[in-house]
Amino acid sequence: MSSDKPSGSKSFKSDVLKVWEEIERKVKSTPTMVFSVIGDSESFVPRPWAKSVFQTALIEAAKSGGDTWILYRGYNYGVSSVVRSAYGKYGDTEFRANSNDVPLEDSERKVKLIYMPGHIEPPKTPEERSKVNQLGDVTEENLDETLAKPSKLECYIEPTENKNFVLDFEEFVSKQELPFLSQTLDLNLPIPIVILACEGDINTIEHISEALKRKIPVIIIKGSGKAADLILDYMENKQLIKKKASVLFGIRFNEIAFKTLTRHLSDIVEASDLVGVFDVNNDNPLMLSNTIGEGIVSCWATEKILSTRDASVRSPKPNTQREKTLQLTTSNGNAHIGTTVSVGKLQSYSGMPKQADIDKIFLQHRESRAYVLDTKYSSPTSLPLYFFFEYQFLQQSEKLKEHGHMLLFEALIANRCDYVRVLLDQGVRFRLWNLSELYEQTVSCKDCHFEKDDCLHIQWLLKQIEEKKAEKLCFSHRKFTRKIQKKERKNREALKKLQEMDRSSNSDEIKKLEKKIKDRKESIKENKEKLQELVKNEKEQTKIAESAKGLCRKILGYKESEDTETNDDPEDTENDAEEKSSYVKISDILLWAIFANRKEIAEICWLRGKDHLLTALVCAAVLKKLSKKANNVKEQNLSNEFAEHTQLFENRCLTIMDGMYKEDDKNAIDIMDDDTNVWGIKSSPLTFAHENFMYDVVAHTCSQKNMNKQWYNKLAPDLKPFLKSMWRKPRKFFTAPLTRYMYNYVMFFVMLVFYSAFVLTSIGDEYYILDIAKMFEYYVYFWGAGDLIEELISCFGCLESRGRSHRGYYARLKRYLYDFWNLVDLLSYALLITALCVRHFHPSTNFTIARRMFSLSLLVMYLRFLEVFLVHRKMGPTLIMIKEMLKDLLYFLGLAVFVVLGVGMYYHANLWPDHPTIWSGNWVNWRIWTIIYYPYWQLYGEINNEFLEGQELDSCTQNETIWKADTSQDRCPQEDWTVIAVAGFYMLFSNLLLVNLVIAMFSYTFERVQENAEKLWRFHRCTVISDYEWRIPSPINIIFLPYRICCCPGRKGGLRNRLKGCCNKKEYEEEKKKELKRKEYRKHLQRNMAFKIFNKM
């Protein structure tokens, strides 16, 4: 610490130094930032101001400053009461119910409140006392009433008789040195201090004037009234001083007082470059941090701010050549007018520190759980200032690329996007061994136990996806450090015990304890060395990166691709593989930004990668899944944040596609089918968007034209010209997915005709003996087997085609079952197989059960045939509406079934009391059907009054012996007037409320589908096209099945493609090279479009 002392008498210097040491002793820390809040005064003008905004701004700025001291006067009124209230809210927010249990000296309490009343000057006469009270000073008589009682959570300093004590103390603080980078190097900067002026009186203006003369920056809180607003008004228009002063203060001025006021204001105007303004009415509270940082840097830049130590402490050897380099040139050879603030101190050195020393500097200075800034209101000079000085230090010393990885690490944690962007532009790379700590500081919860706590934050969501990978990701670094922290804590406890022990007694025990402490220190040193080895162990850190990718694939349900292609920075030309392996890929930082939900950093990393379209789609899909999981556990805020981030990436995709289509439509269409690898997920943009239900992307013009190209097999995309091409280009015509689609439904229609003939005429033995009947039946079985094979290929990705991704079988099955038409297909197969089994393994005389099953299967087959109209532009949206309305109907039935059962139970209990044979006899005659029957049909207006009124009918009997013995014989109902009453209320409720409710649900669904009809139709059309790209119509597919299994024409590594490469090797290689060039061009096209939309989302 520097021995510089403020000007004034020797006793005053001694008082200030004693107070400084007393505060340090009480709070047990040295500040990295000091705020002095002034402006306490009695108000004679009733003017409210936005105190809550100032309180929020003050605490947010203090938290961003690191270990911050807030000096205030401690009055019961005015600004002091505002500051005290703000500090109480800080404690409640940071420590919740434990606020009072966290003492002032605790390291977790970063912001310290210093109670400094200042001076006491007893007035001698009543006139002087009155004058002093008007100016807001403290007297001995009103001391107890004016000053608040000190709290145990603030550092109290006794009042002093020195009138300028607070000002002297502020100057003293501004001259104290703080090691901003390391305790081991002589690289010190003054402790940054700023005065915050709210409200205030004439004394406040005088204080500001004197502070500016002593080169202490001042921030005026605009809108707080009185002296603060008067200063700003005077700086804008000096002519209004007389009017404004009387209005703001509400007091009379004599000539001497007014001249004194004017002189102080003039002095403030002259030093206006050291004055900042924060407007509580218009500025966001987070902007105060930026305003304070700008004020401090501006103040320091105008003078020599780096202290020089005594020659007796250190006398460095001169190095004229090095100083000249630092002063005159930068790394690019351009001339400097001067030197940066940070490098000025380096000119006193004989040389630059070694790489290991610089690494130690940043490791020592790193904060745990750094304050995360809102990027909207941050700037390079926002608090904390060590980012500003560290960057200058590395930049001008030409060591930024070599040693900037630690600054990049801290910038990522603190969300300093401006520094992240600049550092990446400068070629700074993120070290692999910092990855575990990056996740531990940002993604994992600080105080949660992974195995025990369900905190419902992102850490918990990842744990639910895959516990082992989530634990590896979030807790690797914590496991490294936990043992060391435990031993250090025990060592501190033993040291404290040693200090408390009486040296004169039990010397043997003292020696044992000293030996134990010494052994522990050596053990801690060894463990720290092991920690550094573990942290720098590339295999361990690589596992962390792989765990993050594995979690990403698990979230989306993809298998890891064997393709080694990555989506890293294409401008990365690092040739040294060993050196490159020690750095993190830009894609890994992007994945961290996704899990940590850092929107701006994610955009920066995304832009610096490649394959921007697929990468953005994968990011959007991961965020969408995380948003859904957060919503499932009722974490609505987290869910909304993820949803907003999802929308950003989807918008980026659509904007890129728009730009590419305008610039180069052909390649924009082709790019939708380019396979690439992102975090082990291999897919094409169109396939991935379709699999993850990204309707806007699939419905985009690029996607639709790409699908048209596939659908018509590069022929004219219209039905008439397409049919004409049958003669001109028969091979393309007959292999087109559209041709297969039409042929498939022709065969389907033929099957329906045969199936209908078989069900209507040939199930019984009398007609089955005819050969034509057998042909009908076996054709249905043959067609069904072939169609089932195609459905299995479509579901599980067997013989997968170009463009299909590497999804796991479970994920494929879920995606398949999500499609309504696939469920109808499965139902038809199940009914057909059941009917077949009943017919051949459970024969009967009339085949009644088999006929019913075949008939039901045929009904579902006819419903399946409706899918043929899905690709029609007009009828397709209608089918989609029917499907969506069926979902609403199922929800309605779920509600209605309980109402029907309840009413049916009431009917039965009172119309047929004490009926003992509910479940007796054949299942067809169970009474449960009677219970459901009447209330169900009443939903459609069938009243059945004769039963409800208890009338005797010919079809029933009152004889108990008969209806008990024969369950098929109906029992006559008994008359009960309450049944009629309940029936009336039920029909009112069901027909007017329930039925109209389902109609309203249908109306809403109709409007929703109609609004997005084109988008939904295009998505379902894409489903059909991707399915028929390699689908062969049944039953012809059975003939080609051996060829498809052996040659795998749909796969790049299949036998057919390998033979093609062997037979026409030269031609094949040339075509492959051309395709690679085209793909590379399309990647550059994506990159160019991505940079065009930079920061526009």
Side-chain angles (χ1 to χ4, degrees):
M1 195 63 62
S2 172
S3 60
D4 293 334
K5 298 175 184 176
S7 59
S9 69
K10 190 173 181 180
S11 62
F12 287 166
K13 292 180 184 178
S14 178
D15 289 343
V16 169
L17 182 58
K18 284 178 181 178
V19 168
W20 170 261
E21 292 172 349
E22 182 184 355
I23 296 174
E24 280 193 319
R25 179 177 53 80
K26 287 182 178 180
V27 303
K28 295 182 180 178
S29 69
T30 301
T32 57
M33 175 63 64
V34 177
F35 297 160
S36 180
V37 185
I38 63 171
D40 288 288
S41 60
E42 291 182 0
S43 179
F44 298 101
V45 179
R47 177 179 176 178
W49 58 285
K51 296 177 183 177
S52 60
V53 175
F54 172 70
Q55 289 177 331
T56 304
L58 176 66
I59 294 303
E60 291 299 322
K63 285 160 64 177
S64 65
D67 289 318
T68 305
W69 290 2
I70 300 178
L71 311 180
Y72 85 120
R73 300 294 293 276
Y75 294 163
N76 272 323
Y77 58 86
V79 176
S80 289
S81 64
V82 175
V83 174
R84 190 183 304 108
S85 174
Y87 192 70
K89 292 175 183 177
Y90 159 75
D92 295 338
T93 304
E94 289 293 307
F95 311 108
R96 298 178 175 85
N98 301 321
S99 178
N100 292 328
D101 298 331
V102 181
L104 183 66
E105 64 273 12
D106 195 296
S107 59
E108 291 294 321
R109 192 177 282 273
K110 297 290 185 183
V111 181
K112 319 286 188 184
L113 189 62
I114 313 299
Y115 187 140
M116 188 175 290
H119 77 283
I120 298 175
E121 186 177 347
K124 297 177 182 179
T125 64
E127 291 79 8
E128 289 179 355
R129 184 179 295 113
S130 175
K131 182 180 177 181
V132 169
N133 284 335
Q134 285 183 7
L135 297 178
D137 283 342
V138 182
T139 68
E140 286 179 337
E141 294 177 2
N142 65 7
L143 178 63
D144 294 334
E145 297 178 2
T146 305
L147 295 181
K149 185 179 179 181
S151 165
K152 66 177 183 178
L153 298 179
E154 55 188 5
C155 177
Y156 175 67
I157 303 299
E158 293 289 341
T160 177
E161 294 182 2
N162 178 5
K163 185 177 181 180
N164 294 321
F165 177 78
V166 175
L167 191 59
D168 290 341
F169 186 79
E170 290 166 351
E171 184 183 9
F172 177 85
V173 171
S174 70
K175 294 184 178 181
Q176 302 310 296
E177 290 182 355
L178 179 72
F180 258 70
L181 300 179
S182 173
Q183 299 283 354
T184 59
L185 291 177
D186 183 19
L187 186 60
N188 298 330
L189 295 172
I191 293 177
I193 180 171
V194 67
I195 295 173
L196 302 177
C198 304
E199 298 185 351
D201 51 21
I202 298 174
N203 285 344
T204 304
I205 295 174
E206 182 183 357
H207 189 114
I208 294 171
S209 174
E210 290 300 319
L212 292 173
K213 290 177 182 177
R214 303 186 191 194
K215 302 300 181 184
I216 301 174
V218 177
I219 306 300
I220 307 294
I221 307 303
K222 184 179 180 180
S224 61
K226 299 167 75 172
D229 284 356
L230 180 64
I231 293 170
L232 296 175
D233 290 338
Y234 184 80
M235 292 173 75
E236 291 178 4
N237 189 345
K238 299 178 182 180
Q239 305 302 323
L240 299 176
I241 179 62
K242 291 182 180 180
K243 179 181 178 182
K244 292 288 184 180
S246 58
V247 170
L248 290 170
F249 288 128
I251 60 175
R252 294 178 63 187
F253 287 90
N254 57 36
E255 187 177 352
I256 298 173
F258 187 76
K259 285 183 179 179
T260 303
L261 174 65
T262 307
R263 177 170 51 82
H264 289 315
L265 289 172
S266 299
D267 293 339
I268 293 172
V269 171
E270 288 179 9
S272 59
D273 54 325
L274 302 182
V275 177
V277 180
F278 176 76
D279 191 343
V280 290
N281 295 321
N282 298 313
D283 292 345
N284 187 284
L286 299 177
M287 293 177 66
L288 181 59
S289 170
N290 183 28
T291 306
I292 291 171
E294 287 179 354
I296 293 169
V297 171
S298 175
C299 177
W300 288 1
T302 58
E303 62 176 350
K304 182 182 178 182
I305 60 93
L306 287 168
S307 306
T308 305
R309 297 216 175 191
D310 232 10
S312 59
V313 178
R314 174 170 181 163
S315 182
K317 296 178 182 179
N319 192 335
T320 309
Q321 185 61 36
R322 182 61 188 168
E323 289 181 9
K324 185 178 179 181
T325 304
L326 290 172
Q327 288 177 348
L328 299 179
T329 63
T330 58
S331 57
N332 60 8
N334 294 330
H336 267 305
I337 295 174
T339 184
T340 61
V341 172
S342 301
V343 179
K345 188 65 175 176
L346 292 178
Q347 295 179 2
S348 64
Y349 283 86
S350 56
M352 290 296 298
K354 295 180 181 178
Q355 179 176 351
D357 294 333
I358 294 179
D359 284 341
K360 287 179 182 177
I361 289 171
F362 290 112
L363 283 168
Q364 289 172 0
H365 188 60
R366 186 187 309 164
E367 289 193 359
S368 178
R369 299 276 166 177
Y371 182 79
V372 179
L373 287 177
D374 189 329
T375 53
K376 291 180 184 177
Y377 308 107
S378 67
S379 72
T381 54
S382 294
L383 303 180
L385 288 173
Y386 63 78
F387 281 104
F388 183 78
F389 294 114
E390 285 177 7
Y391 180 79
Q392 285 193 343
F393 165 72
L394 291 170
Q395 175 72 2
Q396 197 165 352
S397 60
E398 301 177 1
K399 296 290 182 180
L400 186 61
K401 192 170 182 180
E402 189 177 355
H403 303 300
H405 57 89
M406 293 308 302
L407 184 58
L408 177 59
F409 169 78
E410 293 205 27
L412 288 170
I413 291 177
N415 204 32
R416 298 299 294 267
C417 299
D418 42 3
Y419 284 97
V420 171
R421 184 178 288 118
V422 170
L423 289 169
L424 290 175
D425 286 342
Q426 296 277 6
V428 176
R429 304 286 300 279
F430 189 82
R431 292 280 185 179
L432 185 62
W433 61 69
N434 293 132
L435 190 61
S436 61
E437 189 172 359
L438 182 65
Y439 274 100
E440 198 274 333
Q441 290 268 5
T442 54
V443 177
S444 69
C445 297
K446 184 179 180 182
D447 300 318
C448 294
H449 296 284
F450 188 81
E451 300 83 2
K452 300 177 183 177
D453 297 342
D454 289 344
C455 61
L456 306 184
H457 295 153
I458 180 62
Q459 165 192 296
W460 186 84
L461 297 179
L462 296 177
K463 177 184 173 183
Q464 303 312 303
I465 296 162
E466 189 166 343
E467 187 167 342
K468 287 185 179 179
K469 285 187 171 66
E471 187 173 5
K472 186 81 176 172
L473 203 66
C474 299
F475 283 84
S476 293
H477 187 267
R478 191 176 298 185
K479 285 181 178 179
F480 291 157
T481 56
R482 193 173 288 169
K483 290 182 180 179
I484 295 174
Q485 290 172 351
K486 188 176 180 181
K487 287 189 176 183
E488 285 180 338
R489 187 171 61 252
K490 286 183 177 180
N491 203 34
R492 285 194 300 269
E493 290 171 358
L495 190 62
K496 186 178 180 182
K497 185 178 177 183
L498 181 64
Q499 290 170 350
E500 291 173 354
M501 289 178 68
D502 187 358
R503 293 277 173 177
S504 60
S505 61
N506 205 350
S507 58
D508 293 337
E509 188 177 344
I510 291 173
K511 287 179 181 178
K512 286 180 182 179
L513 197 57
E514 286 176 342
K515 187 177 183 302
K516 192 181 286 186
I517 292 171
K518 185 179 179 182
D519 293 341
R520 277 213 186 100
K521 283 182 177 178
E522 291 177 358
S523 176
I524 289 169
K525 186 178 180 182
E526 289 176 7
N527 284 334
K528 284 186 175 179
E529 289 174 358
K530 288 180 182 178
L531 171 63
Q532 292 300 323
E533 290 177 8
L534 281 170
V535 168
K536 293 189 178 184
N537 188 333
E538 289 178 6
K539 287 186 179 179
E540 286 295 322
Q541 297 297 327
T542 303
K543 286 179 183 177
I544 292 167
E546 291 304 319
S547 294
K549 295 175 186 176
L551 272 173
C552 174
R553 292 191 296 271
K554 184 74 175 179
I555 289 169
L556 299 177
Y558 285 82
K559 298 183 294 183
E560 184 176 3
S561 171
E562 296 176 1
D563 193 346
T564 57
E565 185 183 4
T566 62
N567 60 325
D568 295 316
D569 191 347
E571 295 180 0
D572 178 19
T573 56
E574 185 68 64
N575 296 320
D576 189 349
E578 186 177 348
E579 178 70 16
K580 192 174 180 179
S581 65
S582 64
Y583 290 102
V584 168
K585 299 169 184 175
I586 197 71
S587 59
D588 292 327
I589 304 178
L590 172 59
L591 187 52
W592 161 80
I594 295 299
F595 286 144
N597 201 26
R598 299 286 181 85
K599 299 181 181 68
E600 293 79 10
I601 293 178
E603 182 187 37
I604 292 167
C605 296
W606 171 70
L607 283 166
R608 279 157 179 77
K610 62 179 182 178
D611 299 317
H612 295 77
L613 192 54
L614 183 61
T615 303
L617 289 172
V618 174
C619 291
V622 172
L623 290 163
K624 189 176 181 180
K625 291 283 186 182
L626 291 174
S627 174
K628 187 177 179 182
K629 284 186 176 293
N631 188 54
N632 290 342
V633 294
K634 308 301 180 289
E635 279 290 314
Q636 201 59 49
N637 288 339
L638 185 61
S639 175
N640 292 339
E641 288 173 5
F642 279 127
E644 289 172 10
H645 203 174
T646 302
Q647 196 59 49
L648 280 175
F649 271 108
E650 287 189 1
N651 289 344
R652 287 171 189 143
C653 290
L654 296 172
T655 311
I656 284 179
M657 293 164 75
D658 285 337
M660 289 191 302
Y661 188 76
K662 288 177 183 177
E663 187 164 316
D664 189 343
D665 57 346
K666 184 180 181 301
N667 281 289
I669 294 167
D670 291 341
I671 209 170
M672 302 305 297
D673 254 348
D674 283 349
D675 292 341
T676 189
N677 190 325
V678 177
W679 297 317
I681 298 172
K682 186 177 181 183
S683 185
S684 65
L686 180 55
T687 301
F688 187 88
H690 177 255
E691 286 180 336
N692 290 278
F693 302 100
M694 296 180 177
Y695 293 94
D696 291 317
V697 177
V698 174
H700 193 272
T701 307
C702 291
S703 303
Q704 289 300 305
K705 289 211 169 187
N706 182 280
M707 285 187 289
N708 284 339
K709 201 163 128 182
Q710 296 175 32
W711 188 231
Y712 294 97
N713 203 12
K714 300 181 181 179
L715 296 173
D718 191 47
L719 191 58
K720 288 182 181 179
F722 177 75
L723 292 174
K724 289 179 182 178
S725 64
M726 182 194 309
W727 314 111
R728 292 183 288 107
K729 298 178 180 178
R731 184 176 178 181
K732 279 195 170 187
F733 174 81
F734 285 106
T735 56
L738 176 55
T739 307
R740 292 194 217 129
Y741 180 78
M742 292 188 294
Y743 181 73
N744 180 69
Y745 278 96
V746 168
M747 300 300 290
F748 195 173
F749 183 76
V750 171
M751 185 276 300
L752 285 176
V753 173
F754 286 3
Y755 199 0
S756 300
F758 163 65
V759 170
L760 291 173
T761 62
S762 307
I763 294 180
D765 289 339
E766 186 178 351
Y767 296 99
Y768 187 67
I769 57 175
L770 300 175
D771 292 336
I772 187 69
K774 292 180 180 178
M775 186 191 75
F776 288 166
E777 182 179 5
Y778 287 117
Y779 177 80
V780 171
Y781 298 155
F782 197 57
W783 179 91
D787 200 54
L788 179 60
I789 290 169
E790 291 300 320
E791 289 297 323
L792 291 174
I793 292 172
S794 174
C795 175
F796 295 107
C798 309
L799 314 177
E800 60 187 18
S801 63
R802 174 181 60 85
R804 286 191 178 271
S805 62
H806 294 208
R807 294 197 98 175
Y809 290 126
Y810 177 69
R812 289 177 188 272
L813 181 62
K814 277 178 66 178
R815 175 66 179 81
Y816 179 83
L817 294 176
Y818 186 84
D819 193 316
F820 168 78
W821 296 105
N822 290 335
L823 293 176
V824 176
D825 295 345
L826 291 177
L827 179 61
S828 69
Y829 299 138
L831 290 172
L832 181 59
I833 292 169
T834 305
L836 176 64
C837 294
V838 170
R839 176 175 172 78
H840 291 284
F841 299 106
H842 193 272
S844 65
T845 306
N846 298 321
F847 292 96
T848 304
I849 298 175
R851 182 178 290 104
R852 288 171 181 168
M853 296 304 298
F854 276 118
S855 302
L856 188 58
S857 171
L858 179 61
L859 170 62
V860 176
M861 290 290 186
Y862 272 103
L863 292 177
R864 272 190 68 186
F865 192 78
L866 291 174
E867 192 177 1
V868 71
F869 303 111
L870 199 59
V871 296
H872 193 270
R873 200 176 199 96
K874 297 293 183 184
M875 299 179 71
T878 305
L879 285 175
I880 294 170
M881 286 178 190
I882 293 172
K883 180 196 76 172
E884 293 299 319
M885 287 178 180
L886 279 174
K887 293 180 184 177
D888 293 337
L889 189 60
L890 289 174
Y891 293 140
F892 169 76
L893 289 176
L895 298 173
V897 67
F898 293 99
V899 178
V900 169
L901 280 172
V903 174
M905 291 292 181
Y906 185 88
Y907 287 174
H908 196 279
N910 292 278
L911 292 174
W912 297 282
D914 303 324
H915 195 91
T917 57
I918 297 293
W919 306 102
S920 302
N922 194 322
W923 67 273
V924 178
N925 297 320
W926 286 350
R927 296 298 292 179
I928 188 66
W929 312 126
T930 306
I931 291 171
I932 296 172
Y933 181 84
Y934 294 107
Y936 176 76
W937 289 109
Q938 281 179 339
L939 285 171
Y940 310 112
E942 187 67 35
I943 302 176
N944 292 310
N945 265 344
E946 62 276 8
F947 279 94
L948 299 178
E949 293 172 355
Q951 298 176 9
E952 290 193 16
L953 304 173
D954 296 335
S955 59
C956 65
T957 179
Q958 290 283 11
N959 191 324
E960 185 176 348
T961 306
I962 296 174
W963 60 259
K964 277 188 177 180
D966 185 6
T967 55
S968 63
Q969 181 65 47
D970 288 336
R971 176 187 175 186
C972 289
Q974 294 184 11
E975 184 179 359
D976 191 328
W977 68 269
T978 62
V979 173
I980 298 295
V982 170
F985 176 77
Y986 168 66
M987 293 195 69
L988 177 71
F989 175 76
S990 62
N991 285 274
L992 293 183
L993 182 63
L994 290 182
V995 173
N996 281 286
L997 173 65
V998 75
I999 292 171
M1001 291 169 66
F1002 289 160
S1003 299
Y1004 173 74
T1005 300
F1006 176 83
E1007 291 173 2
R1008 177 171 56 85
V1009 175
Q1010 188 69 23
E1011 185 180 349
N1012 301 293
E1014 185 71 14
K1015 189 192 301 182
L1016 293 169
W1017 173 74
R1018 289 183 176 188
F1019 183 85
H1020 285 282
R1021 181 173 176 264
C1022 176
T1023 305
V1024 174
I1025 293 172
S1026 61
D1027 192 26
Y1028 279 88
E1029 187 181 0
W1030 291 94
R1031 188 180 185 121
I1032 299 176
S1034 177
I1036 296 175
N1037 65 320
I1038 297 176
I1039 301 170
F1040 290 95
L1041 190 60
Y1043 164 73
R1044 294 170 77 186
I1045 293 172
C1046 296
C1047 297
C1048 298
R1051 293 182 179 175
K1052 289 182 180 179
L1055 180 62
R1056 178 189 171 188
N1057 290 323
R1058 289 205 305 269
L1059 289 173
K1060 185 179 177 182
C1062 293
C1063 297
N1064 305 301
K1065 192 170 183 180
K1066 190 175 180 182
E1067 224 176 282
Y1068 181 77
E1069 290 294 331
E1070 285 180 3
E1071 183 60 32
K1072 195 174 179 181
K1073 285 180 182 178
K1074 286 180 182 178
E1075 182 59 29
L1076 286 173
K1077 284 183 179 179
R1078 287 193 289 266
K1079 284 185 75 172
E1080 194 62 33
Y1081 165 74
R1082 290 195 285 268
K1083 287 182 180 182
H1084 285 297
L1085 182 62
Q1086 288 182 72
R1087 185 176 177 81
N1088 294 339
M1089 288 300 112
F1091 275 98
K1092 279 187 179 181
I1093 66 162
F1094 181 68
N1095 275 342
K1096 288 185 180 179
M1097 296 296 104

